[in-house]
Amino acid sequence: MTQPDDLFGDEDYPAYTMGRAADIVGTSPDFLRRLDELKLITPQRSAGGHRRYSRYQLRLAARAREMVDQGTAVEAACRIIILEDQLEEALRINAERHSG
């Protein structure tokens, strides 16, 4: 069984509420909702239906915020980040196939 302390070390554990996530990223809850609508991040829901974000999702949101702050449309920023992550995953899989 996973201990609670171990969960907070997990990059994908939804440890942060929307308000806390917005504070960490330096943005508004509305911006996080928009990233969810654009399918950049899909927060998990608590038993009460509240959004919960992981550290990995916060990193993606921070990347999006930086791009938007530099003048990129939020839709374009999300698409770019999604494509970058897909490319990174494909390169990782390719490297694993060639090293084994």
Side-chain angles (χ1 to χ4, degrees):
M1 183 173 158
T2 305
Q3 298 298 314
D5 289 343
D6 295 338
L7 295 174
F8 287 105
D10 182 351
E11 290 287 304
D12 296 315
Y13 181 69
Y16 303 96
T17 63
M18 177 177 278
R20 182 69 182 126
D23 287 344
I24 290 169
V25 175
T27 191
S28 68
D30 284 340
F31 184 79
L32 295 176
R33 284 187 203 96
R34 185 74 176 125
L35 298 183
D36 186 7
E37 290 171 11
L38 294 169
K39 306 214 184 309
L40 177 62
I41 56 176
T42 304
Q44 291 190 15
R45 298 286 183 147
S46 68
H50 300 283
R51 290 175 175 88
R52 298 281 188 251
Y53 297 88
S54 69
R55 288 194 317 228
Y56 174 72
Q57 291 171 325
L58 296 185
R59 277 199 306 280
L60 293 179
R63 283 170 60 193
R65 195 209 74 214
E66 288 172 13
M67 293 176 78
V68 169
D69 288 350
Q70 294 172 357
T72 304
V74 68
E75 296 85 358
C78 290
R79 186 68 181 138
I80 290 166
I81 293 166
I82 289 167
L83 290 171
E84 287 174 344
D85 283 356
Q86 289 173 344
L87 175 59
E88 185 178 312
E89 179 69 7
L91 291 172
R92 184 190 61 75
I93 290 169
N94 193 35
E96 287 176 2
R97 286 184 180 160
H98 285 67
S99 68

